[in-house]
Amino acid sequence: MTGSNLWKRLFKRVDQATEIALHIAGATVQHRNPFEQLEAFRNQDELSEEFIEKWVMEFYMPSINRLDDQTMEAFVTASKEITQEIIQQLLGDFDWRPRIVGAYFAAIKGYTDLTDIIGVHLLKSEVCYAGLGYALALATFGGDQSKEYLKMYLDFYLKQKDLWFDQNSVLAALHLISPDEASSYFNSWQEYISDKPYHDLSNNIEGMIKSVNIVKQIRQASN
C-alpha cells in the first residue's frame, strides 16, 4: 500500500504487511483523540523517488539544532530553491520523514499560510517524530493562530499520561511565544511527568530556542 493511502487504514483491522507499512511510516501508536474529525492535508499522489532523494533524504535525520557544516550548507542551498508547493507536498505525505522536513522548511521560509496544515497534523499526531518539527514551525511563526494550536494540543495530550508524544516540545514552543500562558500549564505538566523522571522542560526550552535560532540563520543565509 502506498504511503499516500496508509492513513485510510488507521483504526481498521489490517493485514501484517499494512501493519508493517504503518509502523515504518511512523504510525507506531494508534490512538483515539477529539481531533479525528479535523481534515488533514493529504497528497493525492505518491511522492516520486527522485523527489524524496532531493528533498527528504539529506534533511530528515539531523537534529536541526545540531547541524554540521555540510548539512547546514545543504539546508541553505535547498532553501534557495524550495517553494511553498514543494513544502506542501512534503507535509501532505503520510510518512513522518517528509512531514518533519516539510515543517523544517516551512519554518525556514516563514510560510505562515501553512499554519493550519501543520497545526492539524500536530493535533491529530498520526505519526511519531514529526511533532518536534510541527512545534518548531509554530514557535517560529508565532502569533495567535500558532498559539491556539499549541494550547489545544496541551489541553488534551497533557492529560494522556500513557502517550509519550510531543508534550515537551509543544510546551517549549508555547513558552517561546507566550511564557505567561505556558506557565499556566505547569501543574498539568508536573502531573504528566510524575512517572517520567527524565523529562526536563528546561532542556526542551533550551533546545527549542537553539532550533529557532538555527532556522533564522538558515533563512538569513539563503536570502
Side-chain angles (χ1 to χ4, degrees):
M1 177 170 292
T2 62
S4 58
N5 289 317
L6 274 174
W7 65 273
K8 297 178 181 178
R9 306 306 297 273
L10 289 172
F11 310 122
K12 296 183 179 180
R13 295 180 65 88
V14 295
D15 57 29
Q16 185 178 25
T18 302
E19 189 68 36
I20 291 171
L22 285 165
H23 189 90
I24 291 172
T28 55
V29 179
Q30 299 173 35
H31 65 290
R32 292 293 183 180
N33 62 73
F35 311 113
E36 292 173 25
Q37 78 283 3
L38 297 179
E39 185 174 350
F41 180 76
R42 316 281 188 191
N43 291 336
Q44 295 300 310
D45 300 313
E46 189 80 359
L47 299 179
S48 69
E49 291 184 11
E50 293 79 11
F51 183 96
I52 293 172
E53 182 65 32
K54 180 172 183 177
W55 296 113
V56 179
M57 297 305 295
E58 192 165 9
F59 307 108
Y60 79 91
M61 278 297 291
S63 174
I64 200 165
N65 62 18
R66 294 193 299 272
L67 299 180
D68 58 31
D69 291 342
Q70 180 179 346
T71 310
M72 181 77 167
E73 183 58 33
F75 266 101
V76 171
T77 300
S79 296
K80 295 177 181 179
E81 183 181 352
I82 202 166
T83 64
Q84 184 165 329
E85 181 181 358
I86 292 171
I87 293 173
Q88 285 186 206
Q89 287 180 270
L90 291 165
L91 291 169
D93 196 73
F94 184 75
D95 193 286
W96 71 271
R97 298 162 184 86
R99 284 194 181 189
I100 195 170
V101 174
Y104 285 162
F105 280 111
I108 291 165
K109 301 295 286 188
Y111 287 149
T112 56
D113 288 349
L114 301 177
T115 300
D116 283 331
I117 291 177
I118 292 170
V120 170
H121 278 341
L122 175 66
L123 293 179
K124 294 173 79 71
S125 291
E126 295 171 324
V127 294
C128 61
Y129 305 124
L132 173 61
Y134 305 150
L136 172 60
L138 296 176
T140 305
F141 295 162
D144 290 341
Q145 191 178 12
S146 293
K147 186 170 62 176
E148 287 308 308
Y149 277 116
L150 296 170
K151 289 165 61 178
M152 282 191 287
Y153 181 97
L154 294 170
D155 286 341
F156 175 71
Y157 286 100
L158 280 180
K159 297 175 183 176
Q160 314 307 311
K161 293 189 64 175
D162 58 327
L163 298 179
W164 295 43
F165 283 10
D166 300 288
Q167 291 90 335
N168 49 357
S169 297
V170 172
L171 188 51
L174 181 61
H175 176 83
L176 265 63
I177 298 174
S178 177
D180 288 343
E181 288 180 276
S183 67
S184 69
Y185 288 94
F186 179 76
N187 289 338
S188 297
W189 170 256
Q190 291 299 118
E191 176 61 25
Y192 173 74
I193 65 169
S194 61
D195 59 349
K196 304 173 182 65
Y198 300 109
H199 276 48
D200 186 340
L201 184 60
S202 61
N203 287 340
N204 296 118
I205 292 172
E206 181 181 352
M208 188 63 66
I209 292 171
K210 288 181 179 178
S211 296
V212 170
N213 287 336
I214 291 295
V215 162
K216 291 177 179 178
Q217 290 177 32
I218 296 171
R219 182 188 301 165
Q220 183 176 11
S222 62
N223 288 336

